[in-house]
Amino acid sequence: MKDITINTGTPRNVLGHVISGAVASAVISGAINYKKAQSRQITKKEAIKDTIKRTSQGAIATGSAIATANYLGQEGGLFKALTATSIGMMGIYAIEVIEEKLDQKYLTNQNIPVEEEDYE
């Protein structure tokens, strides 16, 4: 199989882009959630929670994207690129699952019945 190498230029610093992704996501989600909270579509607590979640996911997605691009620019880097993409996807999925579990725990602790979903 012919190796796929893309000239992506000089490899970029992944950590720097994780921070950039977090900042960009915080600005975007913060503004959207602020607007929703001002129009009383969501509470301030929900706005903060969603902004933190989206900020974390944006940081993971950006870091994963930069790592993937860096690996695609290396000879023999296709598997590493796919791995970086997979790790990013798993990180974002993990945040979704953690949020869901925390919400269930919070509702259960408040003696509010939680509906169990059947995923068969």
mmCIF file of all heavy atoms in Angstrom, residues 65-116:
data_model
loop_
_atom_site.group_PDB
_atom_site.id
_atom_site.type_symbol
_atom_site.label_atom_id
_atom_site.label_comp_id
_atom_site.label_asym_id
_atom_site.label_seq_id
_atom_site.Cartn_x
_atom_site.Cartn_y
_atom_site.Cartn_z
ATOM 1 N N ALA A 65 -7.055 17.443 16.042
ATOM 2 C CA ALA A 65 -6.945 17.840 14.633
ATOM 3 C C ALA A 65 -5.509 18.238 14.276
ATOM 4 O O ALA A 65 -4.990 17.855 13.223
ATOM 5 C CB ALA A 65 -7.896 18.998 14.337
ATOM 6 N N ILE A 66 -4.860 18.981 15.158
ATOM 7 C CA ILE A 66 -3.485 19.403 14.889
ATOM 8 C C ILE A 66 -2.547 18.204 14.919
ATOM 9 O O ILE A 66 -1.667 18.067 14.060
ATOM 10 C CB ILE A 66 -3.036 20.491 15.897
ATOM 11 C CG1 ILE A 66 -3.874 21.757 15.698
ATOM 12 C CG2 ILE A 66 -1.551 20.797 15.774
ATOM 13 C CD1 ILE A 66 -3.876 22.328 14.294
ATOM 14 N N ALA A 67 -2.718 17.313 15.892
ATOM 15 C CA ALA A 67 -1.880 16.111 15.950
ATOM 16 C C ALA A 67 -2.075 15.269 14.690
ATOM 17 O O ALA A 67 -1.106 14.779 14.104
ATOM 18 C CB ALA A 67 -2.204 15.298 17.195
ATOM 19 N N THR A 68 -3.327 15.141 14.259
ATOM 20 C CA THR A 68 -3.619 14.381 13.038
ATOM 21 C C THR A 68 -2.926 15.005 11.833
ATOM 22 O O THR A 68 -2.281 14.307 11.041
ATOM 23 C CB THR A 68 -5.144 14.311 12.803
ATOM 24 O OG1 THR A 68 -5.751 13.643 13.912
ATOM 25 C CG2 THR A 68 -5.477 13.579 11.511
ATOM 26 N N ALA A 69 -3.041 16.312 11.696
ATOM 27 C CA ALA A 69 -2.391 17.002 10.572
ATOM 28 C C ALA A 69 -0.874 16.840 10.633
ATOM 29 O O ALA A 69 -0.230 16.621 9.600
ATOM 30 C CB ALA A 69 -2.770 18.480 10.570
ATOM 31 N N ASN A 70 -0.305 16.943 11.816
ATOM 32 C CA ASN A 70 1.142 16.752 11.961
ATOM 33 C C ASN A 70 1.555 15.357 11.495
ATOM 34 O O ASN A 70 2.545 15.199 10.779
ATOM 35 C CB ASN A 70 1.586 16.955 13.416
ATOM 36 C CG ASN A 70 1.630 18.410 13.823
ATOM 37 O OD1 ASN A 70 1.609 19.318 12.995
ATOM 38 N ND2 ASN A 70 1.677 18.648 15.125
ATOM 39 N N TYR A 71 0.808 14.331 11.909
ATOM 40 C CA TYR A 71 1.151 12.965 11.523
ATOM 41 C C TYR A 71 0.960 12.721 10.031
ATOM 42 O O TYR A 71 1.724 11.969 9.425
ATOM 43 C CB TYR A 71 0.347 11.946 12.335
ATOM 44 C CG TYR A 71 0.768 11.864 13.777
ATOM 45 C CD1 TYR A 71 -0.170 11.910 14.804
ATOM 46 C CD2 TYR A 71 2.113 11.747 14.134
ATOM 47 C CE1 TYR A 71 0.214 11.831 16.135
ATOM 48 C CE2 TYR A 71 2.509 11.671 15.458
ATOM 49 C CZ TYR A 71 1.561 11.712 16.458
ATOM 50 O OH TYR A 71 1.939 11.639 17.770
ATOM 51 N N LEU A 72 -0.044 13.336 9.436
ATOM 52 C CA LEU A 72 -0.239 13.172 7.991
ATOM 53 C C LEU A 72 0.929 13.765 7.204
ATOM 54 O O LEU A 72 1.168 13.380 6.071
ATOM 55 C CB LEU A 72 -1.554 13.808 7.543
ATOM 56 C CG LEU A 72 -2.820 13.059 7.944
ATOM 57 C CD1 LEU A 72 -4.053 13.871 7.557
ATOM 58 C CD2 LEU A 72 -2.870 11.675 7.303
ATOM 59 N N GLY A 73 1.652 14.689 7.811
ATOM 60 C CA GLY A 73 2.812 15.296 7.165
ATOM 61 C C GLY A 73 4.083 14.489 7.329
ATOM 62 O O GLY A 73 5.130 14.861 6.803
ATOM 63 N N GLN A 74 4.013 13.386 8.077
ATOM 64 C CA GLN A 74 5.182 12.537 8.295
ATOM 65 C C GLN A 74 5.102 11.282 7.433
ATOM 66 O O GLN A 74 4.017 10.730 7.234
ATOM 67 C CB GLN A 74 5.273 12.097 9.763
ATOM 68 C CG GLN A 74 5.438 13.203 10.751
ATOM 69 C CD GLN A 74 5.390 12.692 12.188
ATOM 70 O OE1 GLN A 74 5.262 11.492 12.437
ATOM 71 N NE2 GLN A 74 5.465 13.614 13.129
ATOM 72 N N GLU A 75 6.215 10.823 6.988
ATOM 73 C CA GLU A 75 6.246 9.572 6.250
ATOM 74 C C GLU A 75 5.877 8.446 7.210
ATOM 75 O O GLU A 75 6.412 8.361 8.317
ATOM 76 C CB GLU A 75 7.644 9.326 5.671
ATOM 77 C CG GLU A 75 7.683 8.156 4.724
ATOM 78 C CD GLU A 75 9.004 8.043 4.005
ATOM 79 O OE1 GLU A 75 9.628 9.084 3.719
ATOM 80 O OE2 GLU A 75 9.404 6.904 3.735
ATOM 81 N N GLY A 76 4.947 7.604 6.807
ATOM 82 C CA GLY A 76 4.494 6.511 7.663
ATOM 83 C C GLY A 76 3.595 6.959 8.798
ATOM 84 O O GLY A 76 3.405 6.227 9.767
ATOM 85 N N GLY A 77 3.023 8.144 8.695
ATOM 86 C CA GLY A 77 2.237 8.687 9.789
ATOM 87 C C GLY A 77 0.744 8.442 9.704
ATOM 88 O O GLY A 77 0.007 8.921 10.568
ATOM 89 N N LEU A 78 0.272 7.688 8.708
ATOM 90 C CA LEU A 78 -1.168 7.489 8.546
ATOM 91 C C LEU A 78 -1.794 6.807 9.768
ATOM 92 O O LEU A 78 -2.829 7.256 10.274
ATOM 93 C CB LEU A 78 -1.472 6.679 7.285
ATOM 94 C CG LEU A 78 -2.959 6.395 7.026
ATOM 95 C CD1 LEU A 78 -3.739 7.704 6.887
ATOM 96 C CD2 LEU A 78 -3.126 5.531 5.793
ATOM 97 N N PHE A 79 -1.175 5.745 10.261
ATOM 98 C CA PHE A 79 -1.725 5.055 11.432
ATOM 99 C C PHE A 79 -1.724 5.971 12.648
ATOM 100 O O PHE A 79 -2.684 5.994 13.424
ATOM 101 C CB PHE A 79 -0.943 3.775 11.723
ATOM 102 C CG PHE A 79 -1.505 2.996 12.875
ATOM 103 C CD1 PHE A 79 -2.704 2.306 12.749
ATOM 104 C CD2 PHE A 79 -0.853 2.971 14.093
ATOM 105 C CE1 PHE A 79 -3.238 1.604 13.818
ATOM 106 C CE2 PHE A 79 -1.376 2.268 15.169
ATOM 107 C CZ PHE A 79 -2.569 1.585 15.037
ATOM 108 N N LYS A 80 -0.657 6.744 12.812
ATOM 109 C CA LYS A 80 -0.593 7.692 13.922
ATOM 110 C C LYS A 80 -1.687 8.749 13.779
ATOM 111 O O LYS A 80 -2.301 9.155 14.770
ATOM 112 C CB LYS A 80 0.773 8.369 13.982
ATOM 113 C CG LYS A 80 1.898 7.449 14.388
ATOM 114 C CD LYS A 80 3.218 8.196 14.364
ATOM 115 C CE LYS A 80 4.389 7.290 14.680
ATOM 116 N NZ LYS A 80 5.669 8.007 14.617
ATOM 117 N N ALA A 81 -1.940 9.183 12.551
ATOM 118 C CA ALA A 81 -2.983 10.181 12.307
ATOM 119 C C ALA A 81 -4.357 9.619 12.670
ATOM 120 O O ALA A 81 -5.168 10.295 13.316
ATOM 121 C CB ALA A 81 -2.961 10.632 10.847
ATOM 122 N N LEU A 82 -4.615 8.384 12.259
ATOM 123 C CA LEU A 82 -5.888 7.744 12.600
ATOM 124 C C LEU A 82 -6.025 7.562 14.112
ATOM 125 O O LEU A 82 -7.108 7.722 14.677
ATOM 126 C CB LEU A 82 -6.016 6.399 11.886
ATOM 127 C CG LEU A 82 -6.160 6.473 10.369
ATOM 128 C CD1 LEU A 82 -6.070 5.078 9.751
ATOM 129 C CD2 LEU A 82 -7.451 7.157 9.977
ATOM 130 N N THR A 83 -4.913 7.248 14.758
ATOM 131 C CA THR A 83 -4.923 7.100 16.217
ATOM 132 C C THR A 83 -5.231 8.427 16.896
ATOM 133 O O THR A 83 -6.037 8.487 17.831
ATOM 134 C CB THR A 83 -3.569 6.546 16.708
ATOM 135 O OG1 THR A 83 -3.336 5.279 16.082
ATOM 136 C CG2 THR A 83 -3.558 6.380 18.215
ATOM 137 N N ALA A 84 -4.604 9.507 16.430
ATOM 138 C CA ALA A 84 -4.857 10.834 17.006
ATOM 139 C C ALA A 84 -6.319 11.231 16.835
ATOM 140 O O ALA A 84 -6.937 11.779 17.757
ATOM 141 C CB ALA A 84 -3.942 11.873 16.372
ATOM 142 N N THR A 85 -6.877 10.942 15.681
ATOM 143 C CA THR A 85 -8.295 11.235 15.434
ATOM 144 C C THR A 85 -9.176 10.413 16.374
ATOM 145 O O THR A 85 -10.119 10.934 16.983
ATOM 146 C CB THR A 85 -8.666 10.934 13.972
ATOM 147 O OG1 THR A 85 -7.868 11.750 13.120
ATOM 148 C CG2 THR A 85 -10.129 11.196 13.697
ATOM 149 N N SER A 86 -8.856 9.133 16.521
ATOM 150 C CA SER A 86 -9.640 8.254 17.399
ATOM 151 C C SER A 86 -9.576 8.706 18.852
ATOM 152 O O SER A 86 -10.590 8.690 19.558
ATOM 153 C CB SER A 86 -9.129 6.809 17.298
ATOM 154 O OG SER A 86 -9.297 6.325 15.991
ATOM 155 N N ILE A 87 -8.395 9.110 19.302
ATOM 156 C CA ILE A 87 -8.252 9.588 20.679
ATOM 157 C C ILE A 87 -9.099 10.838 20.898
ATOM 158 O O ILE A 87 -9.755 10.980 21.926
ATOM 159 C CB ILE A 87 -6.766 9.832 21.013
ATOM 160 C CG1 ILE A 87 -6.037 8.493 21.097
ATOM 161 C CG2 ILE A 87 -6.614 10.633 22.307
ATOM 162 C CD1 ILE A 87 -4.538 8.599 21.180
ATOM 163 N N GLY A 88 -9.096 11.729 19.915
ATOM 164 C CA GLY A 88 -9.933 12.925 20.018
ATOM 165 C C GLY A 88 -11.402 12.584 20.104
ATOM 166 O O GLY A 88 -12.141 13.130 20.942
ATOM 167 N N MET A 89 -11.843 11.672 19.272
ATOM 168 C CA MET A 89 -13.247 11.257 19.291
ATOM 169 C C MET A 89 -13.608 10.611 20.625
ATOM 170 O O MET A 89 -14.670 10.894 21.194
ATOM 171 C CB MET A 89 -13.527 10.286 18.140
ATOM 172 C CG MET A 89 -13.443 10.940 16.774
ATOM 173 S SD MET A 89 -13.486 9.765 15.410
ATOM 174 C CE MET A 89 -15.136 9.153 15.552
ATOM 175 N N MET A 90 -12.715 9.772 21.141
ATOM 176 C CA MET A 90 -12.980 9.124 22.429
ATOM 177 C C MET A 90 -13.026 10.148 23.560
ATOM 178 O O MET A 90 -13.833 10.022 24.483
ATOM 179 C CB MET A 90 -11.910 8.072 22.722
ATOM 180 C CG MET A 90 -12.047 6.827 21.858
ATOM 181 S SD MET A 90 -10.894 5.505 22.300
ATOM 182 C CE MET A 90 -9.319 6.254 21.942
ATOM 183 N N GLY A 91 -12.183 11.157 23.504
ATOM 184 C CA GLY A 91 -12.185 12.194 24.529
ATOM 185 C C GLY A 91 -13.486 12.971 24.555
ATOM 186 O O GLY A 91 -14.055 13.239 25.624
ATOM 187 N N ILE A 92 -13.962 13.331 23.381
ATOM 188 C CA ILE A 92 -15.229 14.071 23.288
ATOM 189 C C ILE A 92 -16.391 13.190 23.728
ATOM 190 O O ILE A 92 -17.278 13.623 24.469
ATOM 191 C CB ILE A 92 -15.430 14.613 21.856
ATOM 192 C CG1 ILE A 92 -14.392 15.708 21.599
ATOM 193 C CG2 ILE A 92 -16.854 15.129 21.652
ATOM 194 C CD1 ILE A 92 -14.286 16.150 20.167
ATOM 195 N N TYR A 93 -16.364 11.928 23.327
ATOM 196 C CA TYR A 93 -17.400 10.977 23.747
ATOM 197 C C TYR A 93 -17.372 10.799 25.262
ATOM 198 O O TYR A 93 -18.430 10.761 25.921
ATOM 199 C CB TYR A 93 -17.200 9.635 23.039
ATOM 200 C CG TYR A 93 -18.195 8.584 23.443
ATOM 201 C CD1 TYR A 93 -19.484 8.593 22.922
ATOM 202 C CD2 TYR A 93 -17.854 7.579 24.342
ATOM 203 C CE1 TYR A 93 -20.417 7.628 23.292
ATOM 204 C CE2 TYR A 93 -18.774 6.617 24.717
ATOM 205 C CZ TYR A 93 -20.053 6.640 24.190
ATOM 206 O OH TYR A 93 -20.962 5.691 24.559
ATOM 207 N N ALA A 94 -16.184 10.707 25.837
ATOM 208 C CA ALA A 94 -16.046 10.534 27.291
ATOM 209 C C ALA A 94 -16.686 11.697 28.044
ATOM 210 O O ALA A 94 -17.357 11.486 29.069
ATOM 211 C CB ALA A 94 -14.575 10.397 27.674
ATOM 212 N N ILE A 95 -16.507 12.899 27.554
ATOM 213 C CA ILE A 95 -17.131 14.060 28.208
ATOM 214 C C ILE A 95 -18.648 13.948 28.160
ATOM 215 O O ILE A 95 -19.337 14.263 29.137
ATOM 216 C CB ILE A 95 -16.623 15.378 27.590
ATOM 217 C CG1 ILE A 95 -15.159 15.578 27.982
ATOM 218 C CG2 ILE A 95 -17.471 16.565 28.038
ATOM 219 C CD1 ILE A 95 -14.488 16.752 27.321
ATOM 220 N N GLU A 96 -19.182 13.484 27.038
ATOM 221 C CA GLU A 96 -20.629 13.281 26.928
ATOM 222 C C GLU A 96 -21.113 12.250 27.951
ATOM 223 O O GLU A 96 -22.120 12.459 28.638
ATOM 224 C CB GLU A 96 -21.009 12.822 25.514
ATOM 225 C CG GLU A 96 -20.858 13.873 24.446
ATOM 226 C CD GLU A 96 -21.870 14.989 24.575
ATOM 227 O OE1 GLU A 96 -23.040 14.740 24.935
ATOM 228 O OE2 GLU A 96 -21.482 16.141 24.319
ATOM 229 N N VAL A 97 -20.397 11.139 28.072
ATOM 230 C CA VAL A 97 -20.791 10.071 28.994
ATOM 231 C C VAL A 97 -20.669 10.546 30.442
ATOM 232 O O VAL A 97 -21.562 10.293 31.266
ATOM 233 C CB VAL A 97 -19.941 8.803 28.751
ATOM 234 C CG1 VAL A 97 -20.178 7.759 29.841
ATOM 235 C CG2 VAL A 97 -20.244 8.220 27.382
ATOM 236 N N ILE A 98 -19.583 11.233 30.757
ATOM 237 C CA ILE A 98 -19.395 11.741 32.120
ATOM 238 C C ILE A 98 -20.522 12.696 32.492
ATOM 239 O O ILE A 98 -21.084 12.618 33.591
ATOM 240 C CB ILE A 98 -18.014 12.418 32.264
ATOM 241 C CG1 ILE A 98 -16.916 11.359 32.214
ATOM 242 C CG2 ILE A 98 -17.935 13.242 33.541
ATOM 243 C CD1 ILE A 98 -15.523 11.921 32.042
ATOM 244 N N GLU A 99 -20.872 13.590 31.572
ATOM 245 C CA GLU A 99 -21.965 14.526 31.852
ATOM 246 C C GLU A 99 -23.269 13.772 32.112
ATOM 247 O O GLU A 99 -24.011 14.075 33.047
ATOM 248 C CB GLU A 99 -22.161 15.499 30.694
ATOM 249 C CG GLU A 99 -23.320 16.446 30.939
ATOM 250 C CD GLU A 99 -23.782 17.192 29.709
ATOM 251 O OE1 GLU A 99 -23.695 16.641 28.603
ATOM 252 O OE2 GLU A 99 -24.242 18.327 29.888
ATOM 253 N N GLU A 100 -23.537 12.780 31.289
ATOM 254 C CA GLU A 100 -24.762 11.995 31.446
ATOM 255 C C GLU A 100 -24.789 11.289 32.805
ATOM 256 O O GLU A 100 -25.809 11.306 33.506
ATOM 257 C CB GLU A 100 -24.834 10.960 30.318
ATOM 258 C CG GLU A 100 -26.071 10.115 30.294
ATOM 259 C CD GLU A 100 -26.050 9.155 29.121
ATOM 260 O OE1 GLU A 100 -26.159 9.621 27.972
ATOM 261 O OE2 GLU A 100 -25.917 7.940 29.369
ATOM 262 N N LYS A 101 -23.672 10.695 33.196
ATOM 263 C CA LYS A 101 -23.604 9.986 34.474
ATOM 264 C C LYS A 101 -23.739 10.961 35.645
ATOM 265 O O LYS A 101 -24.407 10.659 36.637
ATOM 266 C CB LYS A 101 -22.294 9.203 34.600
ATOM 267 C CG LYS A 101 -22.152 8.080 33.601
ATOM 268 C CD LYS A 101 -23.215 7.027 33.786
ATOM 269 C CE LYS A 101 -23.063 5.924 32.763
ATOM 270 N NZ LYS A 101 -24.155 4.971 32.779
ATOM 271 N N LEU A 102 -23.122 12.114 35.558
ATOM 272 C CA LEU A 102 -23.245 13.108 36.621
ATOM 273 C C LEU A 102 -24.679 13.611 36.737
ATOM 274 O O LEU A 102 -25.180 13.806 37.848
ATOM 275 C CB LEU A 102 -22.286 14.273 36.387
ATOM 276 C CG LEU A 102 -20.807 13.975 36.613
ATOM 277 C CD1 LEU A 102 -19.957 15.164 36.194
ATOM 278 C CD2 LEU A 102 -20.542 13.593 38.051
ATOM 279 N N ASP A 103 -25.335 13.808 35.597
ATOM 280 C CA ASP A 103 -26.737 14.232 35.626
ATOM 281 C C ASP A 103 -27.611 13.166 36.285
ATOM 282 O O ASP A 103 -28.484 13.488 37.084
ATOM 283 C CB ASP A 103 -27.251 14.524 34.213
ATOM 284 C CG ASP A 103 -26.756 15.840 33.668
ATOM 285 O OD1 ASP A 103 -26.219 16.665 34.454
ATOM 286 O OD2 ASP A 103 -26.877 16.057 32.444
ATOM 287 N N GLN A 104 -27.372 11.904 35.961
ATOM 288 C CA GLN A 104 -28.152 10.823 36.567
ATOM 289 C C GLN A 104 -27.910 10.764 38.064
ATOM 290 O O GLN A 104 -28.846 10.597 38.841
ATOM 291 C CB GLN A 104 -27.792 9.474 35.936
ATOM 292 C CG GLN A 104 -28.363 9.279 34.565
ATOM 293 C CD GLN A 104 -27.964 7.950 33.958
ATOM 294 O OE1 GLN A 104 -27.124 7.234 34.487
ATOM 295 N NE2 GLN A 104 -28.562 7.630 32.828
ATOM 296 N N LYS A 105 -26.664 10.912 38.483
ATOM 297 C CA LYS A 105 -26.339 10.877 39.910
ATOM 298 C C LYS A 105 -27.000 12.047 40.629
ATOM 299 O O LYS A 105 -27.565 11.897 41.699
ATOM 300 C CB LYS A 105 -24.821 10.933 40.101
ATOM 301 C CG LYS A 105 -24.408 10.872 41.551
ATOM 302 C CD LYS A 105 -22.897 10.888 41.700
ATOM 303 C CE LYS A 105 -22.528 10.868 43.178
ATOM 304 N NZ LYS A 105 -21.093 10.933 43.376
ATOM 305 N N TYR A 106 -26.949 13.220 40.022
ATOM 306 C CA TYR A 106 -27.561 14.396 40.624
ATOM 307 C C TYR A 106 -29.066 14.198 40.780
ATOM 308 O O TYR A 106 -29.630 14.450 41.835
ATOM 309 C CB TYR A 106 -27.283 15.644 39.784
ATOM 310 C CG TYR A 106 -28.015 16.867 40.278
ATOM 311 C CD1 TYR A 106 -27.596 17.545 41.408
ATOM 312 C CD2 TYR A 106 -29.156 17.324 39.611
ATOM 313 C CE1 TYR A 106 -28.280 18.655 41.880
ATOM 314 C CE2 TYR A 106 -29.846 18.428 40.069
ATOM 315 C CZ TYR A 106 -29.408 19.091 41.195
ATOM 316 O OH TYR A 106 -30.090 20.181 41.666
ATOM 317 N N LEU A 107 -29.713 13.701 39.754
ATOM 318 C CA LEU A 107 -31.162 13.494 39.810
ATOM 319 C C LEU A 107 -31.517 12.414 40.825
ATOM 320 O O LEU A 107 -32.484 12.546 41.567
ATOM 321 C CB LEU A 107 -31.706 13.129 38.427
ATOM 322 C CG LEU A 107 -31.659 14.244 37.378
ATOM 323 C CD1 LEU A 107 -32.092 13.710 36.025
ATOM 324 C CD2 LEU A 107 -32.539 15.413 37.790
ATOM 325 N N THR A 108 -30.726 11.355 40.880
ATOM 326 C CA THR A 108 -30.975 10.278 41.829
ATOM 327 C C THR A 108 -30.799 10.784 43.255
ATOM 328 O O THR A 108 -31.583 10.446 44.140
ATOM 329 C CB THR A 108 -30.028 9.096 41.559
ATOM 330 O OG1 THR A 108 -30.206 8.668 40.210
ATOM 331 C CG2 THR A 108 -30.316 7.935 42.487
ATOM 332 N N ASN A 109 -29.782 11.587 43.497
ATOM 333 C CA ASN A 109 -29.552 12.136 44.833
ATOM 334 C C ASN A 109 -30.659 13.095 45.258
ATOM 335 O O ASN A 109 -30.845 13.343 46.440
ATOM 336 C CB ASN A 109 -28.201 12.853 44.918
ATOM 337 C CG ASN A 109 -27.050 11.878 44.934
ATOM 338 O OD1 ASN A 109 -27.224 10.703 45.252
ATOM 339 N ND2 ASN A 109 -25.874 12.346 44.591
ATOM 340 N N GLN A 110 -31.383 13.624 44.320
ATOM 341 C CA GLN A 110 -32.484 14.530 44.624
ATOM 342 C C GLN A 110 -33.807 13.776 44.726
ATOM 343 O O GLN A 110 -34.866 14.379 44.760
ATOM 344 C CB GLN A 110 -32.593 15.607 43.530
ATOM 345 C CG GLN A 110 -31.385 16.510 43.431
ATOM 346 C CD GLN A 110 -31.177 17.317 44.699
ATOM 347 O OE1 GLN A 110 -32.128 17.845 45.269
ATOM 348 N NE2 GLN A 110 -29.943 17.392 45.149
ATOM 349 N N ASN A 111 -33.724 12.438 44.731
ATOM 350 C CA ASN A 111 -34.899 11.567 44.812
ATOM 351 C C ASN A 111 -35.876 11.795 43.660
ATOM 352 O O ASN A 111 -37.083 11.693 43.820
ATOM 353 C CB ASN A 111 -35.620 11.729 46.160
ATOM 354 C CG ASN A 111 -34.758 11.275 47.309
ATOM 355 O OD1 ASN A 111 -34.044 10.279 47.177
ATOM 356 N ND2 ASN A 111 -34.797 12.001 48.401
ATOM 357 N N ILE A 112 -35.325 12.114 42.527
ATOM 358 C CA ILE A 112 -36.127 12.257 41.321
ATOM 359 C C ILE A 112 -35.896 10.996 40.495
ATOM 360 O O ILE A 112 -34.756 10.644 40.214
ATOM 361 C CB ILE A 112 -35.712 13.509 40.515
ATOM 362 C CG1 ILE A 112 -35.931 14.762 41.367
ATOM 363 C CG2 ILE A 112 -36.474 13.583 39.198
ATOM 364 C CD1 ILE A 112 -35.361 16.020 40.748
ATOM 365 N N PRO A 113 -36.947 10.293 40.120
ATOM 366 C CA PRO A 113 -36.743 9.066 39.344
ATOM 367 C C PRO A 113 -36.058 9.370 38.013
ATOM 368 O O PRO A 113 -36.369 10.347 37.345
ATOM 369 C CB PRO A 113 -38.160 8.519 39.130
ATOM 370 C CG PRO A 113 -39.094 9.596 39.526
ATOM 371 C CD PRO A 113 -38.342 10.603 40.339
ATOM 372 N N VAL A 114 -35.117 8.538 37.673
ATOM 373 C CA VAL A 114 -34.383 8.677 36.426
ATOM 374 C C VAL A 114 -34.828 7.551 35.495
ATOM 375 O O VAL A 114 -34.804 6.387 35.865
ATOM 376 C CB VAL A 114 -32.854 8.589 36.662
ATOM 377 C CG1 VAL A 114 -32.109 8.663 35.359
ATOM 378 C CG2 VAL A 114 -32.417 9.689 37.613
ATOM 379 N N GLU A 115 -35.222 7.910 34.307
ATOM 380 C CA GLU A 115 -35.642 6.910 33.340
ATOM 381 C C GLU A 115 -34.412 6.217 32.763
ATOM 382 O O GLU A 115 -33.471 6.890 32.346
ATOM 383 C CB GLU A 115 -36.441 7.547 32.206
ATOM 384 C CG GLU A 115 -37.782 8.078 32.627
ATOM 385 C CD GLU A 115 -38.550 8.668 31.461
ATOM 386 O OE1 GLU A 115 -38.283 8.283 30.312
ATOM 387 O OE2 GLU A 115 -39.414 9.514 31.709
ATOM 388 N N GLU A 116 -34.424 4.913 32.756
ATOM 389 C CA GLU A 116 -33.347 4.151 32.153
ATOM 390 C C GLU A 116 -33.699 3.943 30.693
ATOM 391 O O GLU A 116 -34.811 3.534 30.361
ATOM 392 C CB GLU A 116 -33.182 2.795 32.859
ATOM 393 C CG GLU A 116 -32.704 2.916 34.286
ATOM 394 C CD GLU A 116 -31.256 3.401 34.381
ATOM 395 O OE1 GLU A 116 -30.459 3.061 33.498
ATOM 396 O OE2 GLU A 116 -30.958 4.123 35.343
#
